[in-house]
């Protein structure tokens, strides 16, 4: 591949937009604290007045499977992804 093609692909994949304010931030469910931590940071900086956490239980196990990182900080017994997200400061 020539360098021009690689540059075009790189520019397509790694699009960078300036952050803009929004009406709401939607947080898709999950077990990693990175999403709610980033959302809390954006909220504190005034990027959105409302955070909407989501998430329930695993369709495979029928329960929240636990926090995947920073379990020393987030160690409660969360019933759902959403309950975990709400606990993130």
């Amino acid at each position: 591949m020539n360098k021009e093609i690689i540059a075009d692909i790189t520019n397509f994949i790694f699009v960078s937009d300036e952050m803009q304010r929004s009406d709401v931030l939607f947080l898709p469910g999950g077990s990693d604290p990175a999403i709610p931590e980033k959302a809390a940071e954006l909220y504190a900086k005034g990027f959105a007045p409302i955070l909407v956490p989501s998430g329930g239980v695993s369709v495979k196990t029928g329960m929240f499977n636990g926090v995947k990182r920073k379990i020393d900080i987030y160690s409660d017994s969360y019933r759902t992804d959403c309950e975990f997200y709400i606990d993130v400061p």
Side-chain angles (χ1 to χ4, degrees):
M1 276 190 187
N2 67 34
K3 291 181 182 183
E4 190 174 311
I5 293 172
I6 293 172
D8 287 343
I9 293 170
T10 300
N11 291 334
F12 178 77
I13 294 173
F14 299 104
V15 175
S16 179
D17 291 328
E18 187 176 324
M19 294 288 294
Q20 296 181 5
R21 298 188 189 288
S22 68
D23 296 327
V24 65
L25 291 177
F26 175 76
L27 289 70
S31 57
D32 191 309
I35 292 173
E37 287 174 344
K38 183 64 175 183
E41 175 189 330
L42 294 172
Y43 175 83
K45 290 180 178 179
F47 279 96
I50 300 170
L51 301 179
V52 180
S54 68
V57 298
S58 167
V59 293
K60 291 181 180 179
T61 64
M63 59 191 214
F64 177 61
N65 292 322
V67 179
K68 300 299 181 210
R69 290 187 322 107
K70 298 185 179 181
I71 55 176
D72 56 317
I73 298 171
Y74 308 110
S75 59
D76 286 354
S77 290
Y78 305 109
R79 294 174 297 178
T80 64
D81 302 11
C82 185
E83 191 175 273
F84 160 54
Y85 277 10
I86 290 170
D87 193 39
V88 174

